[in-house]
Amino acid sequence: MFVHRRDVQIQWGDCDPANIVYYPRYFAMFDDSTSIMFEAAGFSKQDIVHKYGLVGIPMVDTRAKFYIASTHGDWITIESRIESFGRSSFDVVHKVFKGEALAIEAFEKRVLVGRDSNDPDKLKSAPMPQEIIDKFLNG
């Protein structure tokens, strides 16, 4: 299974007045981590959208479990991987480590979305390309 890791330093703007990361900032980091993971696997988001005629790859479900807070200046490691594939969707798991300790577990479901060929004003799910599935399953 393809796993991507990246180190992130917590910035001043990530923190609330108590100097801990304001939780929506983590979701922005997770969104970035998914895009960066795809790029590391050889599939930039722009290339996927153009090659397969997609409108986008929106998140349709997301949640997280927070165990350890981070503050300005801390370094965290975000480990991202695709947990499973559906016909047009995929589930991503992000694990955030602060040192060796698990700080956050986050989960997102994304769907490939294109235009409906019968009505271009409507959107509909698009099938997941096999080459993407193979890359993430086989590393």
Side-chain angles (χ1 to χ4, degrees):
M1 178 81 53
F2 186 90
V3 177
H4 185 264
R5 290 174 189 84
R6 73 184 188 109
D7 294 325
V8 176
Q9 186 177 31
I10 303 302
Q11 301 299 311
W12 178 261
D14 294 325
C15 299
D16 63 15
N19 197 34
I20 59 173
V21 176
Y22 181 51
Y23 73 92
R25 292 294 306 134
Y26 281 120
F27 288 98
M29 292 177 203
F30 302 146
D31 186 50
D32 289 344
S33 293
T34 298
S35 292
I36 293 167
M37 174 182 63
F38 267 81
E39 286 180 19
F43 304 103
S44 78
K45 194 172 185 180
Q46 288 180 334
D47 290 344
I48 293 170
V49 167
H50 287 74
K51 183 174 183 178
Y52 299 106
L54 302 175
V55 173
I57 310 170
M59 244 186 279
V60 296
D61 187 22
T62 187
R63 63 189 173 87
K65 297 177 185 179
F66 299 91
Y67 306 115
I68 301 171
S70 293
T71 62
H72 177 246
D74 286 347
W75 281 92
I76 59 174
T77 299
I78 302 174
E79 179 182 284
S80 304
R81 66 181 170 81
I82 295 182
E83 175 87 2
S84 63
F85 287 97
R87 186 194 74 78
S88 60
S89 65
F90 58 96
D91 295 309
V92 181
V93 174
H94 303 283
K95 291 186 178 183
V96 177
F97 296 91
K98 189 171 174 184
E100 297 296 317
L102 180 62
I104 302 168
E105 291 178 289
F107 311 90
E108 61 184 48
K109 179 179 282 294
R110 290 180 177 260
V111 176
L112 275 63
V113 175
R115 299 236 175 251
D116 185 330
S117 58
N118 296 321
D119 184 351
D121 290 335
K122 292 185 179 179
L123 300 177
K124 71 175 197 171
S125 65
M128 179 64 64
Q130 191 62 46
E131 70 175 318
I132 293 175
I133 294 170
D134 291 345
K135 177 65 177 186
F136 280 101
L137 292 180
N138 301 321

